[in-house]
Coordinates of all heavy atoms in Angstrom, one line a residue:
N169 N 8.2 5.7 -23.0 CA 7.5 5.4 -24.3 C 6.4 4.5 -24.1 O 6.4 3.6 -23.3 CB 8.5 4.8 -25.2 CG 9.7 5.6 -25.5 OD1 9.6 6.7 -26.1 ND2 10.9 5.2 -25.1
G170 N 5.4 4.6 -25.0 CA 4.2 3.7 -25.0 C 3.8 3.5 -26.5 O 3.8 4.5 -27.3
K171 N 3.6 2.3 -26.9 CA 3.2 2.0 -28.3 C 2.1 0.9 -28.3 O 2.2 -0.1 -27.6 CB 4.4 1.6 -29.1 CG 4.1 1.4 -30.5 CD 5.4 1.2 -31.3 CE 5.2 1.1 -32.8 NZ 6.4 0.8 -33.5
I172 N 1.2 1.1 -29.2 CA 0.2 0.0 -29.4 C 0.1 -0.3 -30.9 O 0.0 0.7 -31.7 CB -1.2 0.5 -29.0 CG1 -1.2 0.7 -27.4 CG2 -2.3 -0.6 -29.3 CD1 -2.5 1.3 -26.9
T173 N 0.3 -1.5 -31.3 CA 0.2 -2.0 -32.7 C -1.0 -2.9 -32.8 O -1.2 -3.8 -32.0 CB 1.5 -2.7 -33.1 OG1 1.7 -3.8 -32.3 CG2 2.7 -1.7 -33.0
I174 N -1.8 -2.6 -33.9 CA -2.9 -3.5 -34.2 C -2.8 -3.9 -35.6 O -2.8 -3.1 -36.5 CB -4.2 -2.7 -34.0 CG1 -4.3 -2.2 -32.5 CG2 -5.5 -3.5 -34.3 CD1 -5.2 -1.0 -32.3
D175 N -2.7 -5.2 -35.8 CA -2.4 -5.8 -37.1 C -3.4 -6.8 -37.5 O -3.5 -7.9 -37.0 CB -1.0 -6.4 -37.1 CG -0.5 -6.9 -38.4 OD1 -1.2 -6.6 -39.4 OD2 0.6 -7.5 -38.5
Y176 N -4.3 -6.4 -38.4 CA -5.3 -7.3 -39.0 C -4.7 -8.2 -40.0 O -4.1 -7.7 -41.0 CB -6.5 -6.5 -39.5 CG -7.5 -6.1 -38.4 CD1 -7.3 -4.9 -37.8 CD2 -8.5 -6.9 -38.0 CE1 -8.2 -4.5 -36.8 CE2 -9.3 -6.5 -37.0 CZ -9.2 -5.3 -36.4 OH -10.0 -4.9 -35.3
R177 N -4.8 -9.5 -39.9 CA -4.2 -10.4 -40.8 C -5.0 -10.4 -42.1 O -6.2 -10.1 -42.1 CB -4.2 -11.8 -40.2 CG -3.5 -11.9 -38.9 CD -2.0 -11.5 -39.0 NE -1.3 -11.8 -37.8 CZ 0.0 -11.5 -37.6 NH1 0.7 -10.9 -38.6 NH2 0.6 -11.8 -36.5
P178 N -4.4 -10.9 -43.2 CA -5.2 -11.0 -44.5 C -6.5 -11.8 -44.3 O -6.5 -12.8 -43.6 CB -4.3 -11.7 -45.4 CG -2.9 -11.3 -44.9 CD -3.0 -11.2 -43.4
G179 N -7.6 -11.2 -44.8 CA -8.9 -11.9 -44.5 C -9.7 -11.1 -43.5 O -10.9 -11.1 -43.5
G180 N -9.0 -10.4 -42.6 CA -9.6 -9.5 -41.6 C -10.3 -10.2 -40.4 O -10.8 -9.6 -39.6
K181 N -10.1 -11.6 -40.4 CA -10.8 -12.3 -39.2 C -9.9 -12.5 -38.0 O -10.3 -12.7 -36.9 CB -11.3 -13.6 -39.7 CG -12.4 -13.5 -40.8 CD -13.2 -14.8 -40.8 CE -14.5 -14.6 -41.5 NZ -14.5 -14.5 -42.9
E182 N -8.6 -12.4 -38.3 CA -7.6 -12.5 -37.2 C -6.8 -11.2 -37.0 O -6.6 -10.5 -37.9 CB -6.6 -13.6 -37.5 CG -7.2 -15.0 -37.4 CD -6.1 -16.1 -37.7 OE1 -4.9 -15.8 -37.5 OE2 -6.5 -17.2 -38.1
V183 N -6.6 -10.9 -35.7 CA -5.8 -9.7 -35.4 C -4.8 -10.0 -34.3 O -5.0 -10.9 -33.5 CB -6.8 -8.6 -34.9 CG1 -7.5 -9.0 -33.6 CG2 -6.1 -7.2 -34.8
K184 N -3.7 -9.3 -34.4 CA -2.6 -9.3 -33.4 C -2.5 -8.0 -32.8 O -2.2 -7.0 -33.5 CB -1.3 -9.9 -34.0 CG -0.3 -10.0 -32.9 CD 1.0 -10.6 -33.4 CE 2.1 -10.6 -32.3 NZ 3.4 -11.0 -32.8
V185 N -2.6 -7.9 -31.5 CA -2.5 -6.6 -30.8 C -1.3 -6.6 -29.9 O -1.2 -7.6 -29.1 CB -3.8 -6.2 -30.1 CG1 -3.6 -4.8 -29.4 CG2 -5.0 -6.3 -31.0
G186 N -0.4 -5.6 -29.9 CA 0.7 -5.5 -29.0 C 0.6 -4.2 -28.2 O 0.4 -3.1 -28.8
V187 N 0.7 -4.2 -26.9 CA 0.7 -3.0 -26.1 C 2.0 -3.0 -25.3 O 2.3 -3.9 -24.6 CB -0.5 -3.0 -25.1 CG1 -0.5 -1.7 -24.3 CG2 -1.8 -3.2 -25.8
Y188 N 2.8 -2.0 -25.6 CA 4.2 -2.0 -25.1 C 4.4 -0.6 -24.4 O 4.1 0.4 -24.9 CB 5.2 -2.1 -26.2 CG 4.9 -3.3 -27.2 CD1 4.2 -3.0 -28.4 CD2 5.3 -4.6 -26.8 CE1 4.0 -4.1 -29.2 CE2 5.1 -5.6 -27.7 CZ 4.4 -5.4 -28.9 OH 4.1 -6.4 -29.7
W189 N 5.0 -0.7 -23.2 CA 5.4 0.6 -22.5 C 6.6 0.4 -21.7 O 6.9 -0.7 -21.2 CB 4.2 1.2 -21.8 CG 3.8 0.5 -20.6 CD1 4.0 0.8 -19.3 CD2 2.9 -0.7 -20.5 NE1 3.4 -0.1 -18.4 CE2 2.7 -1.0 -19.1 CE3 2.2 -1.4 -21.4 CZ2 1.9 -2.0 -18.7 CZ3 1.4 -2.5 -21.0 CH2 1.2 -2.8 -19.6
Q190 N 7.3 1.5 -21.5 CA 8.5 1.6 -20.8 C 8.3 2.4 -19.5 O 7.8 3.5 -19.5 CB 9.6 2.2 -21.7 CG 11.0 2.1 -21.2 CD 12.0 2.7 -22.2 OE1 11.6 2.9 -23.3 NE2 13.2 3.0 -21.8
D191 N 8.7 1.8 -18.4 CA 8.6 2.5 -17.1 C 10.0 2.4 -16.4 O 10.3 1.4 -15.8 CB 7.5 1.8 -16.3 CG 7.2 2.6 -15.0 OD1 7.9 3.6 -14.7 OD2 6.3 2.3 -14.3
G192 N 10.8 3.4 -16.6 CA 12.1 3.4 -16.0 C 13.0 2.3 -16.7 O 13.1 2.4 -17.9
D193 N 13.5 1.4 -16.0 CA 14.3 0.3 -16.5 C 13.5 -0.9 -17.0 O 14.1 -1.9 -17.4 CB 15.4 -0.1 -15.5 CG 16.4 1.0 -15.3 OD1 16.6 1.8 -16.2 OD2 17.0 1.1 -14.2
I194 N 12.2 -0.9 -16.9 CA 11.4 -2.0 -17.2 C 10.6 -1.7 -18.5 O 10.0 -0.6 -18.6 CB 10.5 -2.4 -16.1 CG1 11.2 -2.6 -14.8 CG2 9.7 -3.7 -16.4 CD1 10.4 -2.7 -13.6
V195 N 10.5 -2.7 -19.4 CA 9.6 -2.7 -20.5 C 8.5 -3.7 -20.4 O 8.9 -4.9 -20.1 CB 10.4 -2.9 -21.9 CG1 9.4 -3.0 -23.0 CG2 11.4 -1.8 -22.1
Y196 N 7.3 -3.3 -20.5 CA 6.2 -4.3 -20.4 C 5.6 -4.5 -21.8 O 5.5 -3.6 -22.6 CB 5.1 -3.7 -19.5 CG 5.5 -3.5 -18.1 CD1 5.8 -2.2 -17.6 CD2 5.6 -4.6 -17.2 CE1 6.2 -2.1 -16.2 CE2 6.0 -4.4 -15.9 CZ 6.3 -3.2 -15.4 OH 6.6 -3.0 -14.1

Side-chain angles (χ1 to χ4, degrees):
N169 300 295
K171 185 173 185 180
I172 297 174
T173 58
I174 301 158
D175 186 5
Y176 280 90
R177 305 300 191 182
K181 294 200 162 76
E182 291 181 23
V183 65
K184 182 179 178 189
V185 184
V187 184
Y188 310 98
W189 70 99
Q190 193 176 343
D191 188 353
D193 290 334
I194 306 168
V195 174
Y196 295 104

